[in-house]
Amino acid sequence: MGVGRGLAARWRGRGISKGTNNSGSLGPSGSAIGCSDARGRGAREAGYAEGSPESVVGARSLSLCGFSASSFPVLCSPRFAAPLAAAMPVFHTRTIESILEPVAQQISHLVIMHEEGEVDGKAIPDLTAPVAAVQAAVSNLVRVGKETVQTTEDQILKRDMPPAFIKVENACTKLVQAAQMLQSDPYSVPARDYLIDGSRGILSGTSDLLLTFDEAEVRKIIRVCKGILEYLTVAEVVETMEDLVTYTKNLGPGMTKMAKMIDERQQELTHQEHRVMLVNSMNTVKELLPVLISAMKIFVTTKNSKNQGIEEALKNRNFTVEKMSAEINEIIRVLQLTSWDEDAWASKDTEAMKRALASIDSKLNQAKGWLRDPSASPGDAGEQAIRQILDEAGKVGELCAGKERREILGTCKMLGQMTDQVADLRARGQGASSVAMQKAQQVSQGLDVLTAKVENAARKLEAMTNSKQSIAKKIDAAQNWLADPNGGPEGEEQIRGALAEARKIAELCDDPKERDDILRSLGEISALTSKLADLRRQGKGDSPEARALAKQVATALQNLQTKTNRAVANSRPAKAAVHLEGKIEQAQRWIDNPTVDDRGVGQAAIRGLVAEGHRLANVMMGPYRQDLLAKCDRVDQLTAQLADLAARGEGESPQARALASQLQDSLKDLKARMQEAMTQEVSDVFSDTTTPIKLLAVAATAPPDAPNREEVFDERAANFENHSGRLGATAEKAAAVGTANKSTVEGIQASVKTARELTPQVVSAARILLRNPGNQAAYEHFETMKNQWIDNVEKMTGLVDEAIDTKSLLDASEEAIKKDLDKCKVAMANIQPQMLVAGATSIARRANRILLVAKREVENSEDPKFREAVKAASDELSKTISPMVMDAKAVAGNISDPGKQCLVWFTSAGKLTQEVDRVGRKYAPHDHHIQNLGAKTTDT
């Protein structure tokens, strides 16, 4: 029997023998590759943590389960639901349901009897037998708990268990007393009160016991995780192959143990989000392990051979260690969650703001360079840098609320319009005019102002979130001090610390009423705390006055926490759905009932759609951009007008209904245009995901005597980085504007984040290979990093394909192939062989992309006829790609006199387009079927 069921079995009297102490170490010497320091202890901890008896709750047995009314049906009665439920924690794991059930069933019978006696005037029968059953069950649990406390080395468990024992035993004593009193007088009111108090105490005390056990089990897992964390730092002192071999052997067992414990734990969790977070982080750690070993190997090899590239090798190693450490720290954080992480959004928003700020900083010089140069062409990299800055700043603005949001988005809109004016003047040859120069200077200054606003927003969110979390911890510690009449001075310090953090939040509040309310509470609590501290210093902590003061301070602190939490929440915008259909539904609900208070969610959803429209427009050219921006502005205007009518109490007026109808049509129009633009962008950007990294590989392995070797490498590295950035940006748009469900959106966001992190590491690995030609370790390391990047991008591509309508993507790809064919014809007419080959290659890539999409749809479909038809059409398309490319190269080889070769190419190209059309037509009657596949099921 596994440790997971140990306590439950022993509690039920089946007697599990105590476990043995399986202590051991990661390495032969018991230290981290011979380093007799703290990191050596970490190595031992990671392999086999300090011996803990099997009787200590395992990952399966002492997980607290979801506490539901079905387990305690009578507790839902109006008379007893409140007092009993108030005593219960919210359980977050499964197995303890089986442990609590026997106690709960007995207590349920008691409560029913009490209720019948109170409502119907019935006498309560003799409870001696049921109370004895409860007493036996509780005694067994306490006995097992005490045995565990005696054998464990967990000092926190030893400290926290005795109070829970006392609580349960005292409650059980009350029950016994109630039973004895009811034997004498079946109508006794004090006996009935004892019955309920005892019942509540047993439920609460039993839960305390089980939660304490569960926390001990979590600490055991965390010890292993921290051991791995400490051992990861040993990587920085590994400088020989011998050390590397030892390090690898030592790390493996600890990783295996941690993975097993995490897997067992996640199976017990009741919060699906927590399970997903644990699994994702653990999978990332597993994937990074071979990357870490490869990075360490190339570092050791480069350092010992004194070759070039040691700086890049160090970056690769440090990146992997930091990434693995971050994921393990995330595992530790999630393990300690017992309810949904309400601040998870804050950490995500803070991370998004910081990433946006870093992107803005990286583009600022290029943008200002374009603005300073009156001869710079409109539409070139400098103008695109400005558009990207405005895009990133807009993302930050959408994460803000109130005045902060209005200022950032307003500045973005103004600078976008002014940039359009500068670009238009330069396109007309008036870039050096005083008007154009003045406008350019205003945009440059405006970018500085915008950057400062973004910095302030990021700093404010991080400060408020940190203060909120700090207040929660300090108030928790303060409440313990307030409950102890003999507590030392540290509790007062915790209160002072909480007040200081609350003052920080007050100073960041935009609402003066909210700020003044918090500040007023601070003064009251400070005065009460000083008075209480004085009484305790005088030895009067147990006096009635001191106890009353302690209760006052405890209540005031709870009220303060509520106020600061509300202030932080009010500083953030209402959260719309993460995917398009969810936003549309939220927007529609508000449009249908603009007078109903939906906490601003409907308008937030519309703002989110408009913001995505602006982002799509930023990468479009000329009239296409203006058209999409006009649709965005139209939706914005109608939303503001409808909101204004609703605020004036005229949300049901004929004018409001007319506006709602117009807004509904405009939203539908905007959605269709956005999806069309997004699908075209996906078709273009994702037509070929791997060529840039393959070209980078060719440049990295070029012979040492190859001409312009370094220059070619730098150019291809830059192209690869730009390509990776475009893939990520386009994938994010597909997630926001496509038909993806919530899990697909989150998957895309995770893969984009990974791509952004891996890209510079791939370039570093390639540079090591460039500087160490023929080095096998360098080659293997680059291949590891390259494959990691390709695997992630393939995953991203699959998720993007899920996020958009298949038929629309195929139609966009077919249209792009026709445009490439037209380019090839122009190249032949103008005798441009390179342009011809490039066009034919682009056609081949798009055709292969269609094959990839078709293959995925075949794998996901459950319709055999559909699968067969699409597969047959795909096979025929596959046969046409290579002949078309070969025929194009043949024409290019003799383009000045193509002769029959030209006709052959036209024939093969025509055959390819026919087969592309044939594949697309297979989807027309199955469009609804495709949308209802499991991969595309909508969840909110």
Side-chain angles (χ1 to χ4, degrees):
M1 182 180 298
V3 294
R5 293 175 289 278
L7 181 73
R10 293 177 61 203
W11 180 36
R12 296 187 178 102
R14 290 200 283 267
I16 301 297
S17 60
K18 294 183 178 64
T20 56
N21 188 326
N22 291 324
S23 61
S25 66
L26 274 176
S29 65
S31 63
I33 62 169
C35 303
S36 56
D37 57 8
R39 290 176 296 198
R41 292 194 297 276
R44 293 191 292 276
E45 192 71 43
Y48 287 98
E50 42 120 12
S52 50
E54 296 285 67
S55 59
V56 176
V57 182
R60 292 183 185 276
S61 79
L62 282 194
S63 310
L64 297 183
C65 64
F67 207 102
S68 65
S70 61
S71 299
F72 299 87
V74 298
L75 300 187
C76 295
S77 64
R79 169 68 177 83
F80 306 113
L84 289 174
M88 300 304 298
V90 177
F91 297 127
H92 57 285
T93 60
R94 303 179 190 280
T95 308
I96 288 185
E97 188 167 20
S98 64
I99 300 176
L100 278 175
E101 189 175 0
V103 179
Q105 287 176 350
Q106 297 295 337
I107 292 173
S108 295
H109 290 309
L110 299 179
V111 177
I112 288 173
M113 292 173 188
H114 181 287
E115 189 173 46
E116 288 175 346
E118 186 177 68
V119 175
D120 303 329
K122 294 181 180 179
I124 293 183
D126 184 5
L127 297 180
T128 306
V131 165
V134 172
Q135 187 178 25
V138 169
S139 296
N140 204 21
L141 178 62
V142 171
R143 176 181 59 79
V144 174
K146 287 182 176 178
E147 289 175 4
T148 301
V149 168
Q150 289 171 1
T151 56
T152 186
E153 295 181 21
D154 187 329
Q155 296 304 314
I156 297 177
L157 185 64
K158 286 178 179 288
R159 181 196 69 193
D160 292 347
M161 287 299 285
F165 296 151
I166 294 169
K167 188 175 186 179
V168 173
E169 290 171 331
N170 287 345
C172 205
T173 300
K174 276 195 173 183
L175 273 185
V176 173
Q177 290 174 344
Q180 292 170 349
M181 292 165 70
L182 288 167
Q183 263 188 322
S184 303
D185 179 6
Y187 299 96
S188 170
V189 174
R192 292 170 189 267
D193 290 339
Y194 267 43
L195 183 73
I196 294 307
D197 287 346
S199 299
R200 182 172 59 184
I202 287 176
L203 282 175
S204 176
T206 303
S207 300
D208 287 350
L209 277 172
L210 299 176
L211 182 57
T212 303
F213 275 126
D214 188 65
E215 290 170 349
E217 174 60 18
V218 169
R219 285 193 294 274
K220 187 166 67 173
I221 304 173
I222 289 174
R223 281 198 296 273
V224 175
C225 293
K226 287 185 175 179
I228 294 288
L229 276 177
E230 289 186 22
Y231 198 56
L232 283 175
T233 64
V234 178
E236 68 189 45
V237 300
V238 175
E239 296 185 349
T240 68
M241 289 305 295
E242 183 182 0
D243 278 354
L244 179 58
V245 170
T246 303
Y247 184 87
T248 305
K249 288 180 179 178
N250 290 351
L251 186 60
M255 279 287 187
T256 302
K257 182 174 183 179
M258 180 174 72
K260 182 181 178 183
M261 296 176 86
I262 295 301
D263 181 58
E264 289 177 346
R265 180 66 179 175
Q266 66 85 15
Q267 291 179 41
E268 285 295 307
L269 296 178
T270 57
H271 288 288
Q272 177 65 19
E273 294 88 350
H274 295 172
R275 296 180 65 183
V276 170
M277 287 190 285
L278 281 181
V279 169
N280 288 346
S281 290
M282 193 64 239
N283 285 342
T284 301
V285 172
K286 291 177 185 176
E287 291 166 4
L288 286 172
L289 183 56
V291 179
L292 172 64
I293 302 306
S294 176
M296 292 174 68
K297 183 178 179 182
I298 189 58
F299 172 76
V300 169
T301 303
T302 307
K303 184 177 179 64
N304 291 342
S305 59
K306 295 184 170 55
N307 290 337
Q308 294 184 352
I310 190 168
E311 184 178 340
E312 287 80 6
L314 188 63
K315 285 180 182 177
N316 273 177
R317 187 200 69 190
N318 291 348
F319 160 79
T320 312
V321 169
E322 288 168 9
K323 178 69 175 171
M324 291 178 75
S325 299
E327 293 295 341
I328 294 173
N329 277 317
E330 175 67 1
I331 287 172
I332 291 172
R333 186 186 74 85
V334 175
L335 282 171
Q336 296 175 89
L337 296 177
T338 57
S339 61
W340 174 237
D341 184 10
E342 63 177 22
D343 288 326
W345 62 267
S347 59
K348 287 183 179 179
D349 286 359
T350 301
E351 182 183 340
M353 285 184 175
K354 288 181 177 179
R355 186 171 64 242
L357 189 57
S359 179
I360 289 171
D361 287 340
S362 69
K363 300 288 182 184
L364 208 51
N365 287 337
Q366 188 178 25
K368 289 190 171 184
W370 182 81
L371 291 167
R372 282 195 301 268
D373 183 4
S375 62
S377 301
D380 71 6
E383 183 186 347
Q384 290 305 312
I386 296 175
R387 305 288 180 193
Q388 289 165 358
I389 288 172
L390 300 182
D391 181 25
E392 295 295 339
K395 291 179 184 177
V396 173
E398 290 299 327
L399 296 174
C400 300
K403 180 182 176 184
E404 194 173 46
R405 179 183 179 278
R406 291 192 298 273
E407 286 184 353
I408 292 177
L409 294 183
T411 304
C412 287
K413 185 174 182 179
M414 178 190 70
L415 292 177
Q417 292 170 344
M418 293 174 69
T419 303
D420 287 343
Q421 294 168 3
V422 173
D424 182 56
L425 286 168
R426 291 182 178 180
R428 288 186 280 154
Q430 300 174 17
S433 66
S434 59
V435 174
M437 295 289 283
Q438 184 180 14
K439 290 279 184 189
Q441 186 177 7
Q442 289 173 344
V443 173
S444 182
Q445 293 170 347
L447 290 176
D448 289 333
V449 172
L450 181 62
T451 303
K453 290 181 185 295
V454 170
E455 285 178 346
N456 288 336
R459 196 160 42 238
K460 177 181 176 181
L461 173 59
E462 188 170 27
M464 292 188 86
T465 305
N466 289 344
S467 290
K468 176 187 171 183
Q469 293 170 347
S470 179
I471 287 170
K473 292 177 182 177
K474 291 179 184 300
I475 286 181
D476 187 47
Q479 295 289 10
N480 292 333
W481 176 74
L482 291 167
D484 180 7
N486 302 311
E490 64 280 353
E492 183 184 359
E493 293 170 8
Q494 295 288 353
I495 293 176
R496 302 295 180 195
L499 299 185
E501 296 295 338
R503 186 175 297 279
K504 292 178 185 177
I505 291 178
E507 290 169 353
L508 292 170
C509 283
D510 291 329
D511 186 342
K513 290 183 181 178
E514 217 165 36
R515 181 177 60 247
D516 293 344
D517 192 21
I518 293 173
L519 293 175
R520 190 161 46 248
S521 295
L522 297 183
E524 293 170 0
I525 294 171
S526 181
L528 290 171
T529 303
S530 296
K531 194 172 180 181
L532 175 62
D534 286 342
L535 286 172
R536 289 190 171 183
R537 278 191 287 270
Q538 296 167 25
K540 300 177 181 178
D542 208 16
S543 65
E545 183 185 5
R547 286 189 173 277
L549 276 173
K551 190 173 181 179
Q552 266 187 284
V553 175
T555 302
L557 284 174
Q558 289 176 340
N559 292 338
L560 175 65
Q561 189 172 7
T562 300
K563 291 175 183 178
T564 53
N565 286 351
R566 185 167 55 242
V568 174
N570 290 343
S571 73
R572 316 311 313 144
K575 286 290 180 181
V578 297
H579 56 300
L580 178 72
E581 293 305 326
K583 287 188 178 78
I584 292 292
E585 288 176 14
Q586 291 171 335
Q588 190 61 56
R589 282 198 292 269
W590 177 74
I591 292 170
D592 291 341
N593 298 285
T595 57
V596 174
D597 181 15
D598 67 347
R599 296 178 293 109
V601 170
Q603 293 182 65
I606 295 174
R607 289 197 300 268
L609 289 168
V610 170
E612 292 300 335
H614 279 283
R615 275 191 273 283
L616 281 166
N618 280 338
V619 297
M620 301 170 76
M621 300 303 293
Y624 299 104
R625 180 170 71 237
Q626 298 306 325
D627 176 60
L628 184 52
L629 288 175
K631 293 182 187 303
C632 291
D633 289 343
R634 175 65 174 161
V635 169
D636 250 346
Q637 291 165 4
L638 291 172
T639 301
Q641 291 171 16
L642 182 59
D644 184 53
L645 285 176
R648 298 204 306 262
E650 301 174 19
E652 300 296 334
S653 66
Q655 184 184 359
R657 286 196 292 271
L659 273 173
S661 178
Q662 294 175 45
L663 177 55
Q664 190 170 341
D665 292 341
S666 295
L667 264 180
K668 184 178 179 181
D669 190 27
L670 175 62
K671 173 189 171 184
R673 185 69 190 91
M674 286 166 64
Q675 289 189 322
E676 180 186 344
M678 180 270 300
T679 303
Q680 187 60 57
E681 186 174 334
V682 169
S683 173
D684 291 338
V685 175
F686 278 84
S687 64
D688 177 26
T689 58
T690 58
T691 293
I693 197 171
K694 291 175 180 176
L695 291 175
L696 177 65
V698 172
T701 54
D705 57 352
N708 302 318
R709 189 167 174 266
E710 290 275 351
E711 290 80 1
V712 170
F713 177 86
D714 289 341
E715 180 183 350
R716 291 188 177 177
N719 289 341
F720 166 65
E721 289 175 328
N722 291 334
H723 171 69
S724 182
R726 284 196 303 274
L727 288 174
T730 302
E732 287 180 324
K733 292 172 189 173
V737 182
T739 57
N741 57 35
K742 183 172 180 284
S743 61
T744 302
V745 169
E746 291 173 347
I748 291 174
Q749 291 170 343
S751 63
V752 168
K753 180 183 177 185
T754 300
R756 285 180 175 140
E757 292 171 342
L758 278 176
T759 297
Q761 305 308 316
V762 172
V763 173
S764 292
R767 199 174 297 280
I768 295 170
L769 183 56
L770 176 77
R771 293 175 177 174
N772 298 275
N775 186 309
Q776 186 63 24
Y779 176 77
E780 290 174 358
H781 177 59
F782 173 68
E783 284 295 304
T784 298
M785 298 303 298
K786 183 184 78 172
N787 292 335
Q788 188 95 354
W789 187 90
I790 290 174
D791 289 347
N792 182 68
V793 167
E794 286 178 352
K795 178 182 176 183
M796 183 196 300
T797 304
L799 291 167
V800 166
D801 287 350
E802 284 183 23
I804 59 180
D805 176 62
T806 303
K807 186 67 170 66
S808 299
L809 177 58
L810 294 178
D811 289 345
S813 299
E814 183 177 357
E815 191 62 32
I817 285 175
K818 290 177 181 177
K819 290 180 180 178
D820 285 336
L821 279 171
D822 291 338
K823 291 178 183 178
C824 289
K825 293 174 184 177
V826 171
M828 292 169 66
N830 295 336
I831 313 179
Q832 295 174 309
Q834 291 181 337
M835 185 176 173
L836 172 60
V837 173
T841 303
S842 178
I843 291 170
R845 289 170 182 161
R846 294 183 190 279
N848 280 315
R849 179 81 171 93
I850 290 172
L851 289 177
L852 178 63
V853 172
K855 179 183 177 184
R856 286 203 178 104
E857 293 293 338
V858 168
E859 291 171 350
N860 288 332
S861 175
E862 296 178 359
D863 183 344
K865 291 183 178 179
F866 174 73
R867 288 203 307 266
E868 184 179 342
V870 174
K871 186 178 185 306
S874 299
D875 290 343
E876 290 302 314
L877 172 59
S878 179
K879 295 174 185 177
T880 66
I881 298 173
S882 292
M884 184 277 299
V885 175
M886 296 301 294
D887 292 341
K889 289 180 178 178
V891 174
N894 190 20
I895 198 168
S896 57
D897 186 21
K900 290 184 179 180
Q901 291 172 336
C902 182
L903 295 176
V904 171
W905 180 78
F906 275 120
T907 301
S908 61
K911 177 67 173 170
L912 183 145
T913 56
Q914 287 175 6
E915 296 303 332
V916 166
D917 179 64
R918 185 180 165 211
V919 171
R921 280 188 283 111
K922 298 300 177 187
Y923 286 84
H926 289 269
D927 208 26
H928 177 75
H929 165 78
I930 294 298
Q931 289 301 317
N932 286 282
L933 291 174
K936 293 194 175 185
T937 301
T938 301
D939 57 18
T940 56

